[in-house]
């Protein structure tokens, strides 16, 4: 068979007699260098848990603030003094000399 003369050229792979670059290793299937399926699932679950906790915290804070505001409204309505009653004068009929009869 024919075997071309090839030399190793730094990171470019093998340099053969016709100046073509051939890789030193064929890439394996599924070895893309990215994250594995388990890592991606872990990230997705972590994001959902984080969002769930943040929603719970916001809901709790909102409920607490509403309860505090309602308590403040109730306290302010109890502490307000009612206006003083208006002074009403009761008039008693005066007796006149005509009403008094001497017997």
């Amino acid at each position: 068979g024919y075997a071309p003369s090839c030399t190793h050229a730094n990171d470019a792979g093998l340099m053969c007699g016709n100046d073509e670059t051939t890789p030193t290793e064929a890439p394996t299937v599924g070895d893309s260098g990215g994250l594995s399926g388990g890592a991606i699932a872990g990230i997705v679950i972590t994001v959902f848990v984080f969002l769930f906790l943040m929603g719970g915290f916001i809901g709790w804070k909102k409920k607490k603030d509403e309860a505090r505001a309602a308590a403040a409204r109730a306290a302010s309505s109890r502490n307000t003094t009612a206006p003083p009653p208006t002074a009403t004068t009761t008039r008693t009929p005066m007796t006149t000399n005509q009403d008094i009869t001497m017997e």
Side-chain angles (χ1 to χ4, degrees), residues 41-61:
I43 292 169
V44 169
I45 290 170
T46 302
V47 168
F48 279 126
V49 168
F50 177 78
L51 292 175
F52 177 78
L53 291 175
M54 287 303 296
F57 175 76
I58 291 170
W60 171 77
K61 182 88 168 123

Side-chain angles (χ1 to χ4, degrees), residues 7-84:
T7 58
H8 188 63
N10 297 337
D11 292 334
L14 293 177
M15 299 296 289
C16 295
N18 59 1
D19 290 337
E20 291 182 19
T21 304
T22 58
T24 57
E25 293 182 16
T28 59
V29 176
D31 185 23
S32 62
L35 296 174
S36 69
I40 293 171
I43 292 169
V44 169
I45 290 170
T46 302
V47 168
F48 279 126
V49 168
F50 177 78
L51 292 175
F52 177 78
L53 291 175
M54 287 303 296
F57 175 76
I58 291 170
W60 171 77
K61 182 88 168 123
K62 196 176 227 185
K63 185 175 180 180
K64 181 180 163 188
D65 290 346
E66 287 173 1
R68 183 178 288 155
R73 284 192 303 270
S76 69
S77 68
R78 282 190 306 253
N79 291 337
T80 57
T81 56

